[in-house]
Amino acid sequence: MSIVTPKAGSVIEVRNPGTGEVLGQITAMTDEQITQAVDVAQEGQRVISKIPAHERARLLLGVATRIESEKGSLAKLLARENGKPIRQTQGEIDAAIRIFRGYAAEATRLFGRQIPLDAVPGLERHLAVTLREPIGPVAALVPFNYPVELYAHKGAAALAAGNAVIVQPPTRCPLTLIRIAELIREAGIPEPAHQLVTGEVRVSQLLAQLPGIAAVTLTGSTAAGREIARLGAQTLKKVMLELGGNDALIVCDDADVAAAAKAVVLGRLARGNGQICCAVKRVYVQAGVHDAFVAALLEQTERLVVGDQLLDTTDVGPLIAEQAAHRVESAVQRLVSDGARLVAGGSRRGAFVDPTVLVGVPQASPAFAEEIFGPVAPVARFSDPLEAVRLANDSPYGLHAAVFTRDVSNAFRLAKLLDVGSVMINGSTALRAENLPFGGTKDTGGYRESLHETVLDFTRQKTVVVMDAFE
């Protein structure tokens, strides 16, 4: 289904991307409604900032318990509206539960510092401490690919730090977050402190501009991130961006090629229908194992099941919309036109794209430099590992990279040279654990999101000096 950008106040249908079934409706909020939500958030900020840390922790644990009690129905709803296979949406709900519980603990660990003023001549008798205070209302802009998990990172962190939060769920799959918002209200979190606003780009842009928002956190495209940063700068907001990626996986001659092929299959072709910012998007294979790797990759790809995302046997479901599938199909066609050879998949049926493998991909192909958001694995050959690093770094993005080698020293050498946020050794780039810093370099945005970092980013430091504290 292709969604035309709605006018304010219009009704948007939410559909199953595989069947076209109408699952529900949302309304594109007007500017007045968004402005009112930001005004309400000021009261929400006053209320939640007065709640003690132990009580905020208890409330967040209550949210996690309520999500857990409905995780089966939430996972099914998410699969229906998002297109990811049911086993993967079950994993996403489980991740959100862990994240809420993790931020509940972090709410009680917002430590200040004592700064030794005797390091400065003449200030020896004074005492200085820092306090962590809530930053203010946070706008959380959530993408479609992992909406519940990424919402949890943003919404739970804001609440843990004592902030009101306004959440914009993705237009194409908002229903699961709408239900979770109801569970949050049932858990006792004050309504003004947690609001949902619905609509498309205009809503995000208005939240970035309004002075009542102290911080904006976005997971999305680099183009969207640049615009949000530009608009947020007008009121000197704190803007936290986790943007695009074109993650490279490097397979050296001494690698376990079957394991490397599995990392591509599970980290790209059969994970999130390929719609993951940290998925394996470029594969560089050293000449000595190239053919063996491709054979292993094709063998594993052939076993993947494409179909109904609600079946446990399905590995790859429909993309978020037919329009998205068409973009993937066009990118594959451009690679072939540039000289790549299609050896598996490549077909599209509505919103479904068969897992696709291309070999002989020319490095100069503009399509190879793009982020293809679907189940596509383009494979290129290299001769020297340092060449592979150069090729991997020759990208505007720098989220994750992976290196497959049995040589530990070589692994660390290449990891140090790769200009990315994280490097996986002998594993897929598609790894995100809530307690690991997640983010990248260059056009990926530079921000790091995790349990420990994000909650601090949603606070500000205040310095308090007690004069003549020491006689």
Side-chain angles (χ1 to χ4, degrees):
M1 176 192 175
S2 175
I3 297 183
V4 177
T5 301
K7 295 181 179 179
S10 64
V11 173
I12 307 167
E13 288 185 336
V14 180
R15 294 176 179 262
N16 181 322
T19 66
E21 172 196 5
V22 177
L23 304 175
Q25 295 179 333
I26 60 172
T27 301
M29 287 187 171
T30 64
D31 290 3
E32 290 74 20
Q33 288 174 311
I34 302 300
T35 301
Q36 183 181 13
V38 173
D39 291 341
V40 170
Q42 310 312 306
E43 174 59 24
Q45 183 65 36
R46 286 187 287 271
V47 172
I48 196 165
S49 64
K50 293 179 181 178
I51 296 176
H54 68 84
E55 178 64 11
R56 295 201 303 273
R58 186 191 67 79
L59 291 170
L60 291 172
L61 288 174
V63 172
T65 298
R66 281 168 171 77
I67 294 174
E68 190 170 38
S69 70
E70 295 190 13
K71 68 179 184 179
S73 60
L74 290 171
K76 184 175 181 180
L77 176 57
L78 181 58
R80 292 176 72 200
E81 65 173 338
N82 174 274
K84 286 203 300 286
I86 185 72
R87 286 176 296 158
Q88 296 178 34
T89 59
Q90 289 166 347
E92 181 174 350
I93 300 299
D94 284 338
I97 294 166
R98 293 195 309 271
I99 291 166
F100 265 92
R101 287 177 175 154
Y103 280 117
E106 293 299 319
T108 65
R109 299 172 185 157
L110 293 170
F111 303 122
R113 296 180 298 156
Q114 185 267 318
I115 300 173
L117 283 182
D118 61 351
V120 181
L123 300 183
E124 297 87 351
R125 296 173 59 189
H126 310 323
L127 172 68
V129 297
T130 63
L131 309 175
R132 287 279 179 181
E133 297 182 338
I135 194 171
V138 173
L141 313 182
V142 182
F144 74 83
N145 56 343
Y146 278 79
V148 177
E149 181 176 350
L150 296 178
Y151 153 75
H153 265 296
K154 302 173 192 307
L159 295 169
N163 296 301
V165 60
I166 297 179
V167 180
Q168 183 187 6
T171 304
R172 288 190 172 100
C173 52
L175 303 180
T176 310
L177 289 187
I178 290 172
R179 176 55 190 154
I180 288 175
E182 294 170 351
L183 297 177
I184 283 177
R185 185 167 60 249
E186 293 171 11
I189 290 177
E191 289 189 43
H194 186 279
Q195 301 177 78
L196 256 64
V197 295
T198 51
E200 287 200 321
V201 175
R202 180 186 50 79
V203 174
S204 306
Q205 293 174 344
L206 187 55
L207 288 172
Q209 293 178 73
L210 288 171
I213 297 294
V216 179
T217 172
L218 164 73
T219 299
S221 70
T222 297
R226 285 197 175 101
E227 181 65 7
I228 293 300
R230 184 186 70 81
L231 295 172
Q234 297 175 10
T235 51
L236 299 179
K237 287 179 174 58
K238 190 170 189 178
V239 178
M240 291 158 278
L241 305 173
E242 194 278 292
L243 308 175
N246 197 3
D247 299 7
L249 183 143
I250 298 171
V251 184
C252 298
D253 274 345
D254 64 344
D256 180 334
V257 294
K262 183 177 180 180
V264 175
V265 171
L266 297 184
R268 173 59 160 177
L269 302 180
R271 180 77 65 84
N273 304 331
Q275 300 169 122
I276 309 176
C277 55
C278 61
V280 178
K281 299 190 178 77
R282 294 176 291 158
V283 185
Y284 297 101
V285 186
Q286 199 161 5
V289 293
H290 177 274
D291 293 349
F293 169 84
V294 171
L297 179 58
L298 291 175
E299 179 188 2
Q300 295 182 35
T301 301
E302 288 174 0
R303 297 200 293 264
L304 296 176
V305 177
V306 181
D308 185 350
Q309 68 267 35
L310 298 179
L311 299 178
D312 286 336
T313 54
T314 296
D315 298 303
V316 184
L319 272 63
I320 190 63
E322 185 173 348
Q323 181 183 16
H326 179 72
R327 286 196 295 268
V328 172
E329 180 185 39
S330 297
V332 171
Q333 292 171 349
R334 290 198 303 275
L335 285 171
V336 172
S337 296
D338 289 340
R341 184 161 57 92
L342 183 66
V343 292
S347 300
R348 179 181 69 85
R349 298 172 306 284
F352 291 89
V353 175
D354 289 334
T356 301
V357 178
L358 302 108
V359 297
V361 179
Q363 303 295 337
S365 169
F368 198 31
E370 297 173 2
E371 180 181 23
I372 302 175
F373 225 52
V376 179
V379 181
R381 189 190 302 255
F382 71 88
S383 57
D384 180 82
L386 293 181
E387 176 195 1
V389 169
R390 180 184 62 79
L391 293 170
N393 286 343
D394 188 19
S395 168
Y397 304 107
L399 184 50
H400 284 183
V403 176
F404 271 80
T405 177
R406 290 184 170 93
D407 185 334
V408 174
S409 296
N410 190 42
F412 274 95
R413 178 176 69 120
L414 299 182
K416 187 174 182 179
L417 294 173
L418 286 161
D419 187 5
V420 295
S422 298
V423 179
M424 312 304 165
I425 308 300
N426 296 327
S428 168
T429 61
L431 171 67
R432 179 166 190 180
E434 56 268 17
N435 59 343
L436 290 177
F438 184 84
T441 62
K442 301 182 285 188
D443 284 0
T444 297
Y447 177 58
R448 298 295 183 273
E449 193 172 64
S450 81
L451 288 179
H452 312 302
E453 278 82 7
T454 305
V455 71
L456 292 179
D457 285 333
F458 287 151
T459 66
R460 60 192 178 198
Q461 291 192 77
K462 176 180 286 183
T463 301
V464 178
V465 179
V466 181
M467 308 300 289
D468 297 321
F470 305 109
E471 295 295 337

